[in-house]
Amino acid sequence: MPAPRPWHLLPPGDVPPRGRTTLPIVRRGIDHGTVILGDVEPTPPEEPDAAFAASEPVLIPGVLGDALEVADDHVVATWQAFEGFREGARLLPEVEARLEDAAPFLYAGSSFDLEEPREIEKVFVDVPAADTPHGRRIRDLWAKLSWIAEDEADTSLRIRMSFGHEATKDWLQPEVRAAWTDALTARMFPETRLVTDNEVVRGFLGDVLAAPHRLGECIVYSNAPGGGAVFHHDADPGQHGVAIAQLLGATVWLACPRAELAVHVAAVAARIGGPQRLQTAEGVASSFDVASDADLYRLLNATPELTRELAEAERLFVLRPGDVLILPSHGPEHCAWHAVFGVGAQPSLGLSFGIFDAVPEMQGLPPRR
Ligand SMILES: [Fe+2]
């Protein structure tokens, strides 16, 4: 008899048993099946340090604990802000309301990038010279509101907190503005402290990284039912991974080390008669590096058989309020690829943070709170 699992996946068309919590996973019109909850509660991996080293996802269920209830007003306010954006509300008044009386942060301008179809509005914030320890103005901290998908039917939204030029990836530099961006994030979205101040999450990352780290480049996001993000990785130089937290509602994730994902994709391609070149793990792995491979995209994102294969391999995760999922990244070849399904009757709310080395002590850091 198989070991009980916290959830399992029924293939499309199968009728779920009565009396169980079910989460149909349908993304952009493609039915990937129904997740059934409830055999046992989820648990972290038996050896989380080894899992992190092997680029495996590390689920820490319920780790936000009672603090999530205490932060409920902030969480609900942010969820409502996303509902407003879906109705066409602007980001600027939301930022201004959240920064009211919040010296030293000052509105510095807005931009609308018409070349980027997903971008809605970017709001820039400065810190005046008089309010910085080094007496120089901090420029170009920003909050950017975007659609998650290039699909009008998917109303999933996100706000990214960052600084400087995106094209040159300024945010990868351990410069003083990274620390100011983190301070701005905490001011605008106090609920982010649920993760950044969480002793279990920080303790785990401190252990596996064995060096001071920071959780930055926060994305506050709201996945809409039927939407979500397709398979990707976040392996950028100097980034040790991503920490995901669920605040409201649920999301379903597929997360798997790159090399193992290639094996699963090849197995499914062979089973369903996919392209010959994608029927070996080597063939799949080489296609991972191709910018647009329509056959691979279809296998990864629009093939319920792959979702089922990954669920059987315990690479499917249900995130509920209070859960944190760590997705390690040790470079492009050794990282956890991941995909998300928005589920439930209403949009959900979650946070993601890039895991970086701590910003070195330098003149101009924001005062510690
Ligand atoms: Fe990601």
Side-chain angles (χ1 to χ4, degrees):
M1 197 169 147
R5 291 182 177 183
W7 43 70
H8 64 274
L9 180 68
L10 283 185
D14 279 20
V15 179
R18 284 165 173 265
R20 304 295 289 272
T21 303
T22 59
L23 298 171
I25 50 172
V26 179
R27 191 179 54 210
R28 292 182 212 129
I30 294 174
D31 182 357
H32 290 253
T34 302
V35 177
I36 316 279
L37 299 185
D39 287 342
V40 289
E41 286 299 312
T43 52
E46 276 178 23
E47 295 183 38
D49 295 22
F52 187 91
S55 308
E56 294 178 6
V58 177
L59 176 65
I60 317 179
V63 70
L64 301 187
D66 295 340
L68 184 55
E69 252 171 71
V70 175
D72 192 54
D73 287 353
H74 296 303
V75 170
V76 170
T78 299
W79 184 86
Q80 286 172 336
F82 277 108
E83 288 293 271
F85 300 142
R86 289 190 178 90
E87 300 293 320
R90 290 272 313 271
L91 175 61
L92 177 57
E94 187 68 31
V95 173
E96 286 186 321
R98 285 166 180 260
L99 291 183
E100 192 182 7
D101 300 327
F105 298 108
L106 281 182
Y107 172 62
S110 301
S111 69
F112 304 85
D113 185 348
L114 302 178
E115 299 291 313
E116 168 47 71
R118 289 184 298 178
E119 182 170 328
I120 301 171
E121 182 178 356
K122 196 169 181 181
V123 172
F124 292 86
V125 172
D126 283 1
V127 181
D131 290 309
T132 66
H134 57 345
R136 286 195 298 277
R137 191 176 183 92
I138 295 288
R139 296 180 191 280
D140 292 345
L141 313 180
W142 47 261
K144 184 173 83 169
L145 174 66
S146 314
W147 300 109
I148 288 179
E150 249 182 272
D151 176 349
E152 284 189 11
D154 183 350
T155 60
S156 302
L157 285 166
R158 58 186 245 171
I159 296 173
R160 178 173 180 177
M161 304 296 296
S162 188
F163 64 92
H165 294 292
E166 286 182 82
T168 50
K169 295 199 171 186
D170 288 4
W171 53 274
L172 286 174
Q173 301 305 317
E175 61 161 282
V176 71
R177 286 185 298 174
W180 280 99
T181 301
D182 295 348
L184 174 65
T185 303
R187 191 69 70 86
M188 271 182 59
F189 298 103
E191 65 271 30
T192 56
R193 291 187 179 174
L194 289 166
V195 182
T196 57
D197 290 357
N198 188 284
E199 288 180 8
V200 175
V201 173
R202 301 304 296 256
F204 170 69
L205 292 173
D207 283 350
V208 291
L209 297 172
H213 65 280
R214 87 175 240 267
L215 294 175
E217 289 298 306
C218 178
I219 298 173
V220 187
Y221 59 86
S222 175
N223 279 114
V230 295
F231 258 112
H232 66 282
H233 65 80
D234 299 308
D236 277 300
Q239 185 169 338
H240 303 294
V242 184
I244 308 289
Q246 191 72 30
L247 301 184
L248 272 182
T251 44
V252 172
W253 292 68
L254 300 173
C256 186
R258 172 189 153 116
E260 185 191 316
L261 181 60
V263 172
H264 289 303
V265 171
V268 168
R271 205 181 304 146
I272 67 172
Q276 201 80 34
R277 65 189 174 84
L278 297 177
Q279 292 190 16
T280 66
E282 296 73 27
V284 174
S286 62
S287 295
F288 278 157
D289 301 321
V290 176
S292 58
D293 181 328
D295 292 324
L296 178 64
Y297 181 94
R298 204 173 306 114
L299 274 166
L300 281 172
N301 303 306
T303 304
E305 289 82 356
L306 180 71
T307 307
R308 184 160 173 73
E309 165 99 6
L310 292 170
E312 289 298 317
E314 301 192 42
R315 296 309 190 196
L316 181 145
F317 301 87
V318 177
L319 291 197
R320 287 174 288 182
D323 294 346
V324 165
L325 181 66
I326 308 283
L327 302 170
S329 177
H330 309 294
E333 303 281 329
H334 301 283
C335 58
W337 281 53
H338 48 281
V340 193
F341 296 89
V343 295
Q346 290 191 308
S348 58
L349 186 71
L351 303 171
S352 86
F353 300 85
I355 305 165
F356 302 94
D357 292 336
V359 175
E361 285 297 325
M362 56 174 75
Q363 200 189 19
L365 284 175
R368 293 188 195 281
R369 57 174 193 267

